[in-house]
Amino acid sequence: MSETPHGFDTLQIHAGARPDPATGARQTPIYQNTAYVFRDAEHAAALFNLQEVGYIYSRLTNPTVSALQERVATLEGGVGAVATSSGHAAQIMALFPLMRPGDNIVASTRLYGGTVTQFSHTIKRFGWSATFVDCDDLAAVEAAADANTKAIFAESIANPGGYVHDIPALAEVAGRLGVPLIIDNTSATPWLCRPFDQGATLVVHSTTKYLSGNGTSVGGIIVDSGRFDWTAAGKFPSLSEPEAAYHGLKFHETFGPMAYTFHGIAVGLRDLGMTMAPMNAFQTLLGIETLSLRMERHVANAVKVAEWLERDPRVTRVTYAGLPSSPYNDRAQRLYPKGAGALFTFAVKGGYDACVRLVDAVEIFSHVANLGDTRSLIIHSASTTHRQLTPEQQKAAGADPDAVRLSIGIEDADDLIRDLDQALAKATG
Ligand SMILES: *Cc1c(COP(=O)(O)O)cnc(C)c1O
């Protein structure tokens, strides 16, 4: 495309996509194949030595997946991206180049339930650990770090508690500590928040949610801002020191701002194999074409439904940063001016039991463990997604036992309100 910078609405359709060189096909084809013919033995050797960029084998690179990587990197304002098999895979892949056994991250207490579990239990098997802190207490974030801390991890719009993180403030702390700030931008999407513009180093997504948008495809992606100096303080030897598996190549020296992305593909995908399938990349590309249109409707509907719930006497509280009653409303307006997302929780008179009755009584809302679908979704986090957490962790994450979480879809807002009205009548009657 030309040098004039294009708007988001144009880039979400065109970035990373070009007519297929073989056929002229306008939509990005699904390259449903495993391997690519080398021009000759010399070409093959150059590809394997990372002296030339090209396609070898679809665990590493695939043209459909590459189109998605380029599109998301462009929308986030990053230099490169690595697509993965799921959002959880993206989190492991994001940490992998940074961490060695004995290293740790400082993570927000307000995270997706599965992430809390992944960080509190599973990463320990790699010798990594996470220290969870309340990210409103910046002094505590800084104090939680030690010489082996390799990243700060938080979500832009946190799920499920109606909380938004102050990314510029966290970026300042990360800068003082000399570590990257990783932002999970799943719930905001680059339409509502571009973490790199606010000082973040890396972005991860579960593309399963708003990016694919239709509830069809599990996937994830890691995007690099290209701005971090991986040689600083000798903290990140995987990126700055010779890589034995590539004849002593140093990623930072060889690839400059693309070091982290190339490491993600050439070492991460090669050896961990958490690769996105071409069909899922295709579905995700299709979804992204309408991202801004959907997000506008998601947010407008969320505001309408949240305002209606807040006025309802059967509801004891609504935690949505898009409402003036939220303690995070000022921060949301300052840092997320297009809206505070479409996920929030509300508490029902009658507590845990009423919540369970409510999720059984809805008709348009679907009771599922997902978010970011065109369809409106409901879940009682405390008995499902956040069930493995301790009561303290549930509370910190905003998954209180008397609250249900809504992921507001793009249907007619009045229909959503009528559905909640009849379900609340059954749940509290
Ligand atoms: C869903 C989700 C994840 C995990 O992604 P999967 O694609 O389900 O592996 C991580 N973070 C957030 C904020 C999510 O919503």
Side-chain angles (χ1 to χ4, degrees):
M1 285 198 280
S2 74
E3 290 307 302
T4 321
H6 293 284
F8 193 99
D9 293 338
T10 306
L11 294 172
Q12 71 186 356
I13 295 169
H14 291 286
R18 42 195 74 78
D20 182 50
T23 62
R26 178 64 269 201
Q27 185 52 279
T28 302
I30 307 161
Y31 282 88
Q32 190 65 39
N33 69 293
T34 316
Y36 307 83
V37 178
F38 304 121
R39 287 195 303 270
D40 50 35
E42 204 180 321
H43 177 221
L47 289 173
F48 275 93
N49 274 343
L50 300 183
Q51 285 155 340
E52 190 177 329
V53 177
Y55 298 104
I56 299 176
Y57 184 68
S58 283
R59 171 157 29 83
L60 304 167
T61 45
N62 169 282
T64 313
V65 177
S66 297
L68 174 67
Q69 289 170 166
E70 190 177 334
R71 184 166 304 171
V72 178
T74 304
L75 294 177
E76 287 286 6
V79 296
V82 182
T84 57
S85 50
S86 71
H88 269 1
Q91 293 172 183
I92 295 296
M93 283 276 293
L95 295 179
F96 178 65
L98 314 179
M99 309 285 279
R100 297 194 151 187
D103 285 345
N104 67 74
I105 59 170
V106 175
S108 173
T109 48
R110 297 176 180 93
L111 292 177
Y112 178 74
T115 306
V116 177
T117 307
Q118 187 187 55
F119 287 174
S120 14
H121 302 289
T122 305
I123 63 169
K124 286 191 180 151
R125 315 234 185 129
F126 306 141
W128 309 345
S129 64
T131 309
F132 293 94
V133 283
D134 175 353
C135 283
D136 278 346
D137 186 348
L138 295 171
V141 175
E142 196 156 351
D146 62 25
N148 294 324
T149 298
K150 296 299 165 71
I152 297 178
F153 189 101
E155 292 176 9
S156 44
I157 296 178
N159 157 30
Y163 179 87
V164 292
H165 278 94
D166 188 339
I167 299 173
L170 289 172
E172 229 178 276
V173 176
R176 273 201 297 279
L177 296 170
V179 300
L181 172 62
I182 308 177
I183 294 294
D184 180 338
N185 202 29
T186 300
S187 309
T189 81
W191 173 246
L192 296 178
C193 173
R194 296 220 314 173
F196 297 152
D197 296 346
Q198 301 186 19
T201 316
L202 301 168
V203 159
V204 294
H205 279 280
S206 167
T207 61
T208 315
K209 315 293 170 49
Y210 293 105
L211 294 186
S212 80
N214 296 299
T216 59
S217 306
V218 172
I221 201 160
I222 309 136
V223 191
D224 180 18
S225 63
R227 289 194 215 125
F228 197 85
D229 178 6
W230 301 111
T231 61
K235 261 182 185 292
F236 302 101
S238 298
L239 295 162
S240 64
E241 298 305 311
E243 167 67 39
Y246 282 109
H247 313 300
L249 172 142
K250 295 181 183 172
F251 277 88
H252 188 269
E253 192 181 278
T254 311
F255 300 113
M258 289 297 285
Y260 181 89
T261 302
F262 271 78
H263 187 279
I265 294 168
V267 182
L269 290 181
R270 185 195 64 186
D271 295 343
L272 301 179
M274 299 169 168
T275 307
M276 181 182 278
M279 182 65 182
N280 284 21
F282 173 76
Q283 294 281 4
T284 309
L285 281 164
L286 279 191
I288 293 173
E289 292 189 356
T290 57
L291 180 64
S292 64
L293 307 177
R294 286 185 288 109
M295 292 313 290
E296 278 175 2
R297 175 66 74 86
H298 278 295
V299 169
N301 279 357
V303 170
K304 277 189 203 160
V305 174
E307 284 175 347
W308 178 82
L309 284 167
E310 196 168 47
R311 288 193 301 269
D312 194 289
R314 296 164 295 188
V315 171
T316 47
R317 71 178 180 279
V318 180
T319 47
Y320 177 45
L323 290 176
S325 59
S326 164
Y328 299 104
N329 189 247
D330 287 348
R331 183 184 292 173
Q333 289 192 22
R334 182 166 52 89
L335 300 175
Y336 305 83
K338 288 182 188 156
L343 290 176
F344 60 87
T345 59
F346 70 97
V348 185
K349 265 186 195 153
Y352 191 101
D353 296 334
C355 289
V356 171
R357 284 197 295 275
L358 181 78
V359 297
D360 281 340
V362 285
E363 287 165 8
I364 296 176
F365 280 82
S366 304
H367 180 204
V368 302
N370 190 19
L371 58 93
D373 197 319
T374 48
R375 276 153 281 271
S376 289
L377 313 175
I378 189 168
I379 196 154
H380 182 222
S381 306
S383 63
T384 54
T385 51
H386 289 62
R387 193 184 181 90
Q388 312 302 337
L389 273 52
T390 64
E392 297 74 43
Q393 284 177 319
Q394 285 180 348
K395 199 156 181 51
D400 304 71
D402 65 343
V404 293
R405 187 199 68 203
L406 301 181
S407 169
I408 300 294
I410 61 174
E411 302 99 327
D412 189 319
D414 292 333
D415 290 334
L416 300 179
I417 289 171
R418 269 192 294 274
D419 190 26
L420 290 172
D421 189 28
Q422 66 80 22
L424 276 166
K426 287 182 188 141
T428 61

